[in-house]
Structures are given as C-alpha cells and as structure tokens.
Amino acid sequence: MRSFVYLRAVANAVNLSTATGLLLAGLTRTHVEKGPDGLILGTGYQPKLPLAGAFTVGNVIFYRADRAFIDSRPDLLVHESGHSTQYAWCLGLPFLPLYAACAAWSLWRTGDPGSRNFFERNAGLALGGYRALPTIARLPLIRNQLRRFALNKSRENNTH
C-alpha cells in the first residue's frame, strides 16, 4: 500500500470513522469486502437514507449496487476515495456536519446539494456524477423583499 493511502487508513482508524462505517455496515447488513488502496467496499446497501447511490464513512464506501457495478465505474470509486481522504482531513466524524453545511450552501446557491459543495467539488464533481450548475441570484430577491417589507411598515406607521 502506498504511504498516502496507508496514512489515510490509519487516520480513519484512529478517528473512528472507519469503525463507524463498519458498524453501519453491520447494522444494515451490508456485505463488505476488501477494496483497493485500503478501502472497504460495502455492496447492496438497502436503507433509503442517504439518497445517494454511493457514499463513504471513513474508509468504508457504501454502494446500493453490486461489485460488478463498482468495477464498471472506476471514476465513482476514485470520487468516493476522495471522500475517504476528506474524513482523514476532518479528523473523522466532524466531516458529517461540515458536509451537511456545504450541501445546504450548495442547495441554496444552485438548487442542487452537490454542485457548489466544497467536498463534492474537491472529490471531483464529474467523477461523482455531479454537474456544475450556475448559481441562483438570491441576494437581490432577499433585498427586494426586505425593501417591500420596509416600505409596507413605513406606510403602516404613516397611516396611524
């Protein structure tokens, strides 16, 4: 194993994110097997959440599909491997609320949770099946709503 992937595997073992992924696999009866670069592949994940076809917890990559699908999509494996590295950067499970905040930001900015999500962009948008959508100009809408509200309040105060 290359020193980088060994370091990532050790970091995710120490920060307990891989243990959490293995616990999730056990609780959901997801089949796990050894994958490349110190990763663990979980196949046939059944619960409805998260909605994604693949997601990562530590060094455990969960797929709703089977191993044949994984082997046919090496780009997706590279993308999810990037998320494994991000767990190490975030010292484990703090990745989850940070990811959620970035997904909320992306949803606000584009209407899509991945398009402007720092973590998805860093792992490779296209590799994960995401598209870079244009941003929605929300601030002018908010400013206009606040102006209307202020004008209405001003008119109410002037009539009393």
Side-chain angles (χ1 to χ4, degrees):
M1 201 178 334
R2 297 183 317 254
S3 59
F4 166 75
V5 296
Y6 177 76
L7 183 61
R8 176 181 68 193
V10 169
N12 284 336
V14 170
N15 68 36
L16 300 178
S17 60
T18 296
T20 302
L22 290 171
L23 177 63
L24 177 62
L27 291 172
T28 60
R29 297 186 177 159
T30 300
H31 172 74
V32 294
E33 60 186 87
K34 186 177 179 189
D37 296 332
L39 298 170
I40 301 165
L41 306 177
T43 56
Y45 179 80
Q46 295 297 315
K48 293 186 187 307
L49 294 176
L51 299 175
F55 68 97
T56 303
V57 180
N59 269 33
V60 183
I61 301 175
F62 291 84
Y63 293 89
R64 295 188 181 282
D66 60 12
R67 183 61 193 256
F69 174 82
I70 296 169
D71 294 339
S72 73
R73 293 283 314 274
D75 51 344
L76 183 57
L77 181 59
V78 169
H79 175 84
E80 294 301 328
S81 175
H83 289 314
S84 179
T85 301
Q86 293 165 352
Y87 271 92
W89 290 347
C90 294
L91 305 177
L93 298 178
F95 170 84
L96 295 171
L98 292 170
Y99 181 93
C102 289
W105 171 254
S106 179
L107 192 60
W108 165 258
R109 296 297 293 143
T110 67
D112 174 69
S115 190
R116 290 286 190 260
N117 182 325
F118 167 80
F119 293 102
E120 294 300 348
R121 293 174 78 82
N122 181 266
L125 278 179
L127 295 173
Y130 293 98
R131 296 176 305 144
L133 299 175
T135 58
I136 300 168
R138 296 197 189 271
L139 293 179
L141 294 172
I142 293 170
R143 186 178 60 238
N144 291 340
Q145 289 294 334
L146 290 173
R147 282 183 184 156
R148 281 191 206 116
F149 178 74
L151 285 172
N152 287 339
K153 282 292 183 189
S154 172
R155 288 179 188 148
E156 285 177 11
N157 291 338
N158 289 338
T159 59
H160 290 116

